Amino acid sequence: MMFGDGLAIRDEFDNVFMDYRDESQVTLEIRWNDRITYDGTWENNLFNFFTKVTPKLTADLKKPFRLEGMQRIDETPVHKAVREK
């Protein structure tokens, strides 16, 4: 499922459907603000799905300025949680 062919994955696991929807500002007229689902432009496997979705999940996270010695640490526990999902 991680690096496989989308058709083979769907044949073996017919209940798996990778779908990301940003529903943070929905109204009666707007069902979602942004959506990533299989549309034929990318191979439908978990790696590609996570590669597309992760930047959207981390785009608005604040990055504090903190130094450990001479190295900047700009990752928070939330960044780690999204990465390790």
Side-chain angles (χ1 to χ4, degrees), residues 7 20 25 35-36 40 46 55 59 62 65-67 69 71 73-75 80:
L7 288 174
Y20 163 83
Q25 299 171 351
R35 184 176 186 188
I36 295 177
L46 289 176
K62 297 187 184 316
F65 182 82
R66 183 171 60 101
L67 290 175
Q71 183 177 8
I73 307 297
D74 59 357
E75 189 173 77
K80 291 179 184 176

Short mmCIF file of all heavy atoms in Angstrom, two decimals, residues 7 20 25 35-36 40 46 55 59 62 65-67 69 71 73-75 80:
data_model
loop_
_atom_site.label_atom_id
_atom_site.label_comp_id
_atom_site.label_asym_id
_atom_site.label_seq_id
_atom_site.Cartn_x
_atom_site.Cartn_y
_atom_site.Cartn_z
N LEU A 7 -4.27 0.89 -8.76
CA LEU A 7 -5.30 -0.06 -9.16
C LEU A 7 -5.18 -1.37 -8.39
O LEU A 7 -6.18 -1.93 -7.96
CB LEU A 7 -5.23 -0.31 -10.66
CG LEU A 7 -5.70 0.83 -11.55
CD1 LEU A 7 -5.45 0.50 -13.01
CD2 LEU A 7 -7.17 1.10 -11.32
N TYR A 20 -8.46 13.81 1.45
CA TYR A 20 -8.18 14.91 2.38
C TYR A 20 -9.11 16.06 2.00
O TYR A 20 -9.21 16.43 0.84
CB TYR A 20 -6.73 15.38 2.25
CG TYR A 20 -6.47 16.74 2.85
CD1 TYR A 20 -6.24 16.88 4.20
CD2 TYR A 20 -6.49 17.88 2.05
CE1 TYR A 20 -6.02 18.14 4.75
CE2 TYR A 20 -6.26 19.13 2.59
CZ TYR A 20 -6.04 19.26 3.94
OH TYR A 20 -5.83 20.49 4.48
N GLN A 25 -13.72 26.24 6.79
CA GLN A 25 -14.57 27.41 6.56
C GLN A 25 -15.75 27.06 5.66
O GLN A 25 -16.03 27.76 4.69
CB GLN A 25 -13.75 28.54 5.95
CG GLN A 25 -12.62 28.98 6.84
CD GLN A 25 -11.69 29.94 6.13
OE1 GLN A 25 -11.77 30.14 4.93
NE2 GLN A 25 -10.78 30.53 6.88
N ARG A 35 -9.35 20.05 -1.43
CA ARG A 35 -9.51 18.60 -1.38
C ARG A 35 -8.41 17.93 -2.19
O ARG A 35 -8.05 18.38 -3.28
CB ARG A 35 -10.86 18.21 -1.98
CG ARG A 35 -11.14 16.73 -1.88
CD ARG A 35 -12.51 16.39 -2.38
NE ARG A 35 -12.80 14.98 -2.14
CZ ARG A 35 -13.87 14.37 -2.60
NH1 ARG A 35 -14.75 15.02 -3.32
NH2 ARG A 35 -14.05 13.10 -2.33
N ILE A 36 -7.90 16.84 -1.63
CA ILE A 36 -6.97 15.97 -2.35
C ILE A 36 -7.60 14.58 -2.34
O ILE A 36 -7.83 14.00 -1.29
CB ILE A 36 -5.58 15.93 -1.70
CG1 ILE A 36 -4.92 17.30 -1.78
CG2 ILE A 36 -4.71 14.87 -2.37
CD1 ILE A 36 -3.58 17.36 -1.10
N GLY A 40 -6.38 10.88 -10.93
CA GLY A 40 -5.69 10.37 -12.10
C GLY A 40 -4.38 11.07 -12.42
O GLY A 40 -3.67 10.67 -13.32
N LEU A 46 -0.08 5.28 -0.54
CA LEU A 46 0.04 6.03 0.72
C LEU A 46 1.19 7.03 0.70
O LEU A 46 1.05 8.14 1.21
CB LEU A 46 0.21 5.07 1.89
CG LEU A 46 -1.02 4.25 2.26
CD1 LEU A 46 -0.69 3.27 3.37
CD2 LEU A 46 -2.16 5.15 2.67
N PRO A 55 2.28 18.90 3.57
CA PRO A 55 2.48 20.36 3.49
C PRO A 55 1.22 21.16 3.82
O PRO A 55 1.30 22.24 4.40
CB PRO A 55 2.91 20.59 2.04
CG PRO A 55 3.46 19.30 1.59
CD PRO A 55 2.69 18.25 2.32
N ALA A 59 1.27 23.87 6.90
CA ALA A 59 1.45 25.20 6.29
C ALA A 59 1.23 26.34 7.27
O ALA A 59 1.96 27.33 7.26
CB ALA A 59 0.53 25.36 5.09
N LYS A 62 2.88 27.55 13.44
CA LYS A 62 3.89 28.52 13.81
C LYS A 62 5.23 27.83 14.04
O LYS A 62 5.29 26.73 14.57
CB LYS A 62 3.47 29.28 15.05
CG LYS A 62 2.19 30.09 14.85
CD LYS A 62 1.92 30.95 16.06
CE LYS A 62 0.63 31.70 15.97
NZ LYS A 62 0.29 32.32 14.75
N PHE A 65 11.45 30.60 16.99
CA PHE A 65 12.90 30.70 16.84
C PHE A 65 13.54 30.30 18.16
O PHE A 65 13.34 30.94 19.19
CB PHE A 65 13.32 32.13 16.48
CG PHE A 65 14.80 32.25 16.28
CD1 PHE A 65 15.38 31.89 15.07
CD2 PHE A 65 15.62 32.71 17.29
CE1 PHE A 65 16.74 31.98 14.87
CE2 PHE A 65 16.99 32.81 17.10
CZ PHE A 65 17.55 32.45 15.89
N ARG A 66 14.29 29.21 18.14
CA ARG A 66 14.95 28.70 19.35
C ARG A 66 16.28 28.13 18.93
O ARG A 66 16.40 27.48 17.90
CB ARG A 66 14.08 27.63 19.99
CG ARG A 66 14.62 27.08 21.28
CD ARG A 66 13.60 26.18 21.96
NE ARG A 66 13.21 25.05 21.14
CZ ARG A 66 13.67 23.81 21.30
NH1 ARG A 66 14.54 23.53 22.26
NH2 ARG A 66 13.28 22.84 20.52
N LEU A 67 17.30 28.41 19.73
CA LEU A 67 18.63 27.90 19.45
C LEU A 67 19.02 26.85 20.47
O LEU A 67 18.76 26.99 21.66
CB LEU A 67 19.66 29.02 19.48
CG LEU A 67 19.61 30.04 18.37
CD1 LEU A 67 20.64 31.15 18.63
CD2 LEU A 67 19.88 29.40 17.03
N GLY A 69 22.58 25.58 21.17
CA GLY A 69 23.96 25.82 20.75
C GLY A 69 23.93 26.77 19.55
O GLY A 69 23.41 27.86 19.63
N GLN A 71 22.56 25.70 16.60
CA GLN A 71 21.60 25.12 15.66
C GLN A 71 20.19 25.63 15.98
O GLN A 71 19.75 25.60 17.13
CB GLN A 71 21.63 23.60 15.74
CG GLN A 71 20.71 22.93 14.75
CD GLN A 71 20.83 21.42 14.82
OE1 GLN A 71 21.48 20.87 15.70
NE2 GLN A 71 20.20 20.75 13.87
N ILE A 73 16.30 25.39 16.12
CA ILE A 73 15.27 24.36 16.27
C ILE A 73 13.93 25.05 16.03
O ILE A 73 13.47 25.86 16.83
CB ILE A 73 15.28 23.74 17.69
CG1 ILE A 73 16.68 23.24 18.04
CG2 ILE A 73 14.24 22.65 17.79
CD1 ILE A 73 17.19 22.15 17.15
N ASP A 74 13.30 24.74 14.89
CA ASP A 74 12.03 25.39 14.58
C ASP A 74 10.90 24.38 14.46
O ASP A 74 9.87 24.65 13.86
CB ASP A 74 12.14 26.23 13.30
CG ASP A 74 12.54 25.42 12.10
OD1 ASP A 74 12.78 24.21 12.26
OD2 ASP A 74 12.61 25.99 11.01
N GLU A 75 11.09 23.23 15.05
CA GLU A 75 10.06 22.20 15.01
C GLU A 75 9.42 22.08 16.39
O GLU A 75 10.10 22.02 17.40
CB GLU A 75 10.70 20.88 14.59
CG GLU A 75 9.71 19.81 14.29
CD GLU A 75 10.38 18.60 13.71
OE1 GLU A 75 10.99 17.84 14.48
OE2 GLU A 75 10.29 18.42 12.50
N LYS A 80 6.10 17.39 14.83
CA LYS A 80 6.50 15.98 14.97
C LYS A 80 5.28 15.06 14.88
O LYS A 80 5.34 14.02 14.24
CB LYS A 80 7.23 15.76 16.29
CG LYS A 80 8.59 16.41 16.33
CD LYS A 80 9.25 16.18 17.66
CE LYS A 80 10.58 16.92 17.71
NZ LYS A 80 11.22 16.81 19.03
#
